[in-house]
Amino acid sequence: MGTAPIGVLALQGDVAEHRKSLEDLGLEVRLVKTVAALDGLGGIVLPGGESTAISLLLRSAGLAEPLRLAVQRGLPTFGTCAGLVLLARTIRDGRDDQVQLDGIDLIVRRNGFGRQRNSFETTIAGRGPLAGEPLRAIFIRAPVIEHLGMDVEVLAELETEDGTTPVLVRSGHVLAGSFHPELTSDRRVHEVFAAMVASADLAGTL
Ligand code: GLN
């Protein structure tokens, strides 16, 4: 119990940064490049990068369908930025052939923050387990979450000119964010995921 490694999908993107974030919390990490590496994981992280490139690589590694099934079957999963795009039920401005893991009931628009705000760093407000000190958040060609399903909980929001927009959300065993907590030194978001992994692990042993 509690010994299953956490996978980091290691096809493209900021794999090393997620690995370090998880290792900072004392977790064992396994880089996932093959179907066999999915076996026995306690959870998996889908890093930021480029969701269309990751999609092509998922297909050529034969990982697209096994990963989709693992997510559907309840493997705790955390996607950041491109990872959020892969996990969304509906992708706007995506490529028709990009992989959709359908892990979380929301609509996301790729690169939705637009050209003027291609990349930016700001402060966001946490909710629930992240209430308290605001978090620094780095957005890079970030997707915008345009609609949330009923069972999706907002864990952090960004203030915009038109109100607030969710930037970190959770539904059941899936956590997804449009920014990059792996690029800052605050580990609170990875801690939330670690707690989700621990409680799924505990449920599995009952
Ligand atoms: N725009 C990228 C995509 O669609 C995501 C960017 C990122 O992960 N920083 O996949």
Side-chain angles (χ1 to χ4, degrees), residues 96-171:
D96 288 348
D97 59 350
Q98 82 178 80
V99 169
Q100 287 185 253
L101 301 173
D102 191 13
I104 188 160
D105 183 10
L106 56 79
I107 299 176
V108 76
R109 186 176 298 278
R110 278 186 68 223
N111 305 324
F113 282 101
R115 278 169 179 265
Q116 305 87 328
R117 303 193 77 198
N118 230 335
S119 296
F120 56 100
E121 183 172 343
T122 187
T123 301
I124 58 172
R127 305 268 175 264
L130 292 170
E133 270 297 290
L135 297 112
R136 289 301 293 168
I138 297 175
F139 293 82
I140 304 168
R141 289 178 293 104
V144 170
I145 297 170
E146 294 194 334
H147 177 79
L148 292 178
M150 290 237 297
D151 296 327
V152 184
E153 177 191 6
V154 176
L155 297 190
E157 294 177 311
L158 170 70
E159 245 176 75
T160 66
E161 287 122 44
D162 328 312
T164 58
T165 185
V167 293
L168 181 71
V169 295
R170 173 165 70 176
S171 178

